[in-house]
Amino acid sequence: MNKEEILAKSRQDNKNHDPYYLEARINGMKYGRIAAIILALTLFIIDWFISGNRNYGYYGIFTASFAADYLYRWKKTDNKDDFYAGALMALATAVSVILHFVHHL
């Protein structure tokens, strides 16, 4: 194998493990989550003002996003503060889902 073949094989083997690629992917997911939260919150507020009802399904999306983030961080770092925040957000998600179905029956 010559140098170019070795470099090409190395690039192919490390294609998805490039630090720049991983950082871009993490930032993309973070900004995507922020956009989803803003959209859910905006729809929640618009529904509230137009119909006078609160659609807790949107709020459930909002809290579920935070719950997943905190609990994932807790699992990876064993930080108790992340666990408590994640558990609280998971509880808020459960309450929101229950309220969503109670108000739509």
Side-chain angles (χ1 to χ4, degrees):
M1 291 178 110
N2 65 26
K3 179 180 174 182
E4 291 304 319
E5 291 173 337
I6 293 170
L7 288 173
K9 180 156 175 44
S10 177
R11 281 189 208 102
Q12 183 64 29
D13 290 344
N14 295 316
K15 183 177 180 182
N16 294 330
H17 302 293
D18 178 34
Y20 181 76
Y21 172 81
L22 293 175
E23 182 181 343
R25 186 172 178 193
I26 289 168
N27 285 335
M29 289 188 303
K30 179 175 69 172
Y31 292 126
R33 185 185 73 165
I34 290 169
I37 289 170
I38 290 169
L39 178 62
L41 190 57
T42 302
L43 291 173
F44 176 80
I45 292 169
I46 289 170
D47 263 1
W48 187 10
F49 284 115
I50 290 176
S51 68
N53 295 323
R54 295 181 187 151
N55 187 335
Y56 289 99
Y58 296 130
Y59 193 69
I61 294 168
F62 179 78
T63 56
S65 174
F66 279 105
D69 182 44
Y70 282 123
L71 292 173
Y72 180 80
R73 278 193 273 168
W74 164 69
K75 186 75 173 168
K76 292 295 184 181
T77 64
D78 203 28
N79 182 349
K80 289 186 192 282
D81 290 339
D82 286 334
F83 171 74
Y84 296 133
L88 184 62
M89 284 295 165
L91 178 63
T93 300
V95 169
S96 297
V97 169
I98 291 167
L99 288 172
H100 175 74
F101 287 111
V102 166
H103 286 280
H104 283 87
L105 292 178

